[in-house]
C-alpha cells in the first residue's frame, strides 16, 4: 500500500510572432506595415484569450485643397492666383488588442475583442504651392512659389475599437494566415489587416 498522489497540469504559455500589412480604404496612398507578438495558452483549444502587441509604421497623404483668387499687379492688371495645399503624414503606432478566440477545428479559428491604438510618433509635412498667372485665366503661368513646414507630436490620437478576426492554418501551434477588420469607435478610420503568424 502507498499513499495516494494528486497530479495537476498547469497550462503553458504560447508566444507567437506576427507580421503583415494594414489596409486603410479611406486614406490616400496609405502604406502601413507592422510586426508584433502574441500571448496565449500553449496549444490553445476551443475558447481562449489572446493578447497582442503590434508596432506599425504608417504613411499616407492628407486631403488636398485648391483655392483660387484674383490679385492686382503693380501695373494694374488682374491676375489669377491658385493656392494648392497638400500634406504627407508619417506615424508610428502601437496597437494592443485583446481577443476572445475560438478554434472551430485544427485549421480554422475566429475571434473578436477590443483594441487600443496609440500614435507613438506623428509627423506631418504641409506643403503650399502658389501659382500666379498672367491674366484672369490659367493659360499663361508667370511664377510659382513653394512653402513647406513640418509638425511633430508624440503620444497623441488614442483610438479604441472592436476587432473581428479569422485565421487559416495551424490553429494551435505553427504557422497560419489571418484577416482582421478593426472598427474604431470615434473616427472614420476603419481598416483591414492581413497577416502571417507563427505560434510557438
Amino acid at each position: 500500500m502507498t499513499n495516494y498522489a494528486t497530479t495537476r497540469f498547469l497550462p503553458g504559455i504560447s508566444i507567437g510572432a506576427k507580421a503583415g500589412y494594414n489596409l486603410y480604404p479611406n486614406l490616400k496612398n496609405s502604406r502601413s506595415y507592422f510586426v508584433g507578438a502574441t500571448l496565449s495558452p500553449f496549444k490553445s483549444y476551443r475558447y481562449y484569450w489572446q493578447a497582442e502587441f503590434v508596432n506599425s509604421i504608417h504613411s499616407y497623404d492628407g486631403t488636398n485643397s485648391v483655392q483660387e483668387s484674383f490679385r492686382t499687379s503693380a501695373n494694374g492688371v488682374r491676375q489669377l492666383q491658385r493656392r494648392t495645399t497638400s500634406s504627407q503624414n508619417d506615424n508610428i503606432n502601437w496597437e494592443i488588442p485583446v481577443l476572445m478566440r475560438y478554434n472551430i477545428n485544427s485549421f480554422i479559428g475566429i475571434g473578436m475583442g477590443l483594441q487600443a491604438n496609440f500614435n507613438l510618433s506623428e509627423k506631418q509635412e504641409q506643403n503650399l504651392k502658389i501659382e500666379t498667372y498672367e491674366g484672369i485665366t490659367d493659360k499663361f503661368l508667370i511664377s510659382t512659389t513653394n512653402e513647406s513646414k513640418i509638425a511633430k507630436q508624440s503620444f497623441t490620437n488614442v483610438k479604441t475599437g472592436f476587432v473581428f478576426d479569422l485565421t487559416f492554418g495551424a490553429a494551435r501551434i505553427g504557422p497560419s494566415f489571418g484577416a482582421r477588420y478593426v472598427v474604431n469607435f470615434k473616427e472614420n478610420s476603419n481598416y483591414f489587416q492581413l497577416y502571417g503568424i507563427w505560434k510557438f
Side-chain angles (χ1 to χ4, degrees), residues 4 26 60 64 66-67 88 105 125 141 171 173 185:
Y4 288 100
N26 297 327
Y60 63 95
N64 294 351
V66 179
Q67 294 180 336
Q88 169 70 34
N105 53 40
E125 182 178 357
L141 178 66
I173 294 294
F185 290 144

Side-chain angles (χ1 to χ4, degrees), residues 132-150:
T132 304
Y133 296 88
E134 186 178 39
I136 60 173
T137 66
D138 58 359
K139 189 173 181 180
F140 298 105
L141 178 66
I142 59 175
S143 70
T144 302
T145 60
N146 292 280
E147 301 175 8
S148 65
K149 63 179 181 179
I150 296 176

Side-chain angles (χ1 to χ4, degrees), residues 63-74:
T63 56
N64 294 351
S65 65
V66 179
Q67 294 180 336
E68 293 185 347
S69 60
F70 294 96
R71 50 165 285 182
T72 303
S73 65

Side-chain angles (χ1 to χ4, degrees), residues 111-126:
M112 66 177 298
L114 298 174
Q115 171 177 288
N117 187 319
F118 306 88
N119 274 10
L120 177 65
S121 173
E122 185 174 333
K123 173 184 172 184
Q124 184 181 70
E125 182 178 357
Q126 298 175 333

Side-chain angles (χ1 to χ4, degrees), residues 118-189:
F118 306 88
N119 274 10
L120 177 65
S121 173
E122 185 174 333
K123 173 184 172 184
Q124 184 181 70
E125 182 178 357
Q126 298 175 333
N127 300 293
L128 173 63
K129 181 169 71 172
I130 304 174
E131 299 170 304
T132 304
Y133 296 88
E134 186 178 39
I136 60 173
T137 66
D138 58 359
K139 189 173 181 180
F140 298 105
L141 178 66
I142 59 175
S143 70
T144 302
T145 60
N146 292 280
E147 301 175 8
S148 65
K149 63 179 181 179
I150 296 176
K152 295 182 179 180
Q153 299 182 78
S154 300
F155 292 101
T156 60
N157 198 15
V158 178
K159 297 187 289 290
T160 56
F162 281 119
V163 175
F164 302 94
D165 192 82
L166 176 66
T167 55
F168 299 93
R172 302 181 72 183
I173 294 294
S176 61
F177 296 94
R180 179 173 294 183
Y181 186 57
V182 180
V183 181
N184 286 310
F185 290 144
K186 292 183 179 179
E187 301 179 28
N188 186 22
S189 55

